[in-house]
Amino acid sequence: MERLVTVEEARFTLHETRAVGKTPVGFVPTMGALHDGHLALIRQARTECETVVVSVFVNPTQFNEKSDLDAYPRDLERDAALCAEAGADLLFTPDAAEIYPQGFSTTVTVDGTLSRLLEGTFRPGHFAGVATVVAKLLNILQPDRAYFGEKDWQQLKVVERMVADLNLPVAVVPCPTVREPDGLAMSSRNTRLSPEARQQAKVIPYLLDTAQDLLDSSNREMPTNLGPVLRHWLLTLLESHQPTAEREYIAVVDPETLVDVNEITDRALVVIALRVGGVRLIDNRMIRVRAEVSRF
Ligand code: PAF
């Protein structure tokens, strides 16, 4: 695996790669602290692409709190070894000055509900930071395919929107969330959970699984306001199972617009953001109306 540090090196190497026909080029953007979720993206890219490039860049502009940026786990040597093991060919590890040189003044903003709601409410400016750095990385590396995890569903939708709106010549590939055996979604933040908070965090997959069960067992004549009813049930369950967890949001939304849904005719996305033991965790699950489930 070759390591690339400057934009110039990355451009030159990717240009050579394409010139000798080692395409398609698959790209996995990360902020490091790699876990099995990232490795699944790299492995998927490996099976679908001739060349796999991974970036590790802790993007300062997408953090709302400096303390969060400072606390972000960094271990480039470990990340490099994991990338190589998972089959990456190239690792791009620019520093902040390389991505945001003196005088940098451009921000890419995806307007509307995709950026404004949910994470956008609690992390103002976050998606502008994400969209800007992803646009830059796509421009620098010019991959054919870019892999994003569905765990960060809202990020995935923001990136899809930006790629469509700016006609960027890349296919965005959504990849399923990878979970711990007890259901907790893999996240770099999990390493910051105390053993007690780790136990409390299990309430998140529990609520997400229960949402599908509740939908399955809801009345045959589903109420036209099943979205708010479901949300209310989930809030009650959270309160009874883990009253100390600090809720930022629990919502039942349209997966494409992220707007709250009333009626659920086909599918809806349940999204959750909680702080447990001071660590902010997000997760989501698509719930579907299943024809085969007998309702009463
Ligand atoms: O999901 C992440 O790790 C980051 O938001 C990304 C896409 C690498 C942009 O910094």
Side-chain angles (χ1 to χ4, degrees), residues 105-123:
S105 321
T106 301
T107 302
V108 179
T109 313
V110 174
D111 285 333
T113 58
L114 288 185
S115 283
R116 198 164 25 83
L117 298 175
L118 305 174
E119 290 298 287
T121 314
F122 290 89
R123 306 183 67 188

Side-chain angles (χ1 to χ4, degrees), residues 12-150:
F12 176 79
T13 305
L14 269 300
H15 180 266
E16 295 287 288
T17 300
R18 278 186 293 273
V20 296
K22 285 194 184 165
T23 56
V25 173
F27 172 43
V28 180
T30 82
M31 297 208 299
L34 301 184
H35 49 67
D36 283 347
H38 297 111
L39 302 182
L41 302 182
I42 300 172
R43 290 194 194 106
Q44 185 168 338
R46 179 74 283 160
T47 62
E48 297 173 0
C49 302
E50 252 330 284
T51 300
V52 176
V53 54
V54 179
S55 63
V56 172
F57 177 63
V58 183
N59 176 34
T61 64
Q62 68 186 78
F63 286 83
N64 298 85
E65 289 156 34
K66 187 164 178 313
S67 56
D68 205 17
L69 172 63
D70 293 342
Y72 201 83
R74 294 167 171 85
D75 187 344
L76 201 45
E77 292 321 309
R78 176 184 170 275
D79 289 340
L82 289 172
C83 285
E85 228 175 276
D89 302 297
L90 302 167
L91 178 62
F92 182 41
T93 60
D95 65 17
E98 194 66 23
I99 295 295
Y100 300 114
Q102 191 72 33
F104 185 86
S105 321
T106 301
T107 302
V108 179
T109 313
V110 174
D111 285 333
T113 58
L114 288 185
S115 283
R116 198 164 25 83
L117 298 175
L118 305 174
E119 290 298 287
T121 314
F122 290 89
R123 306 183 67 188
H126 168 69
F127 287 119
V130 170
T132 303
V133 82
V134 172
K136 279 188 67 102
L137 292 168
L138 292 175
N139 275 329
I140 294 165
L141 301 167
Q142 304 193 358
D144 301 291
R145 300 167 69 79
Y147 294 79
F148 289 85
E150 290 179 347

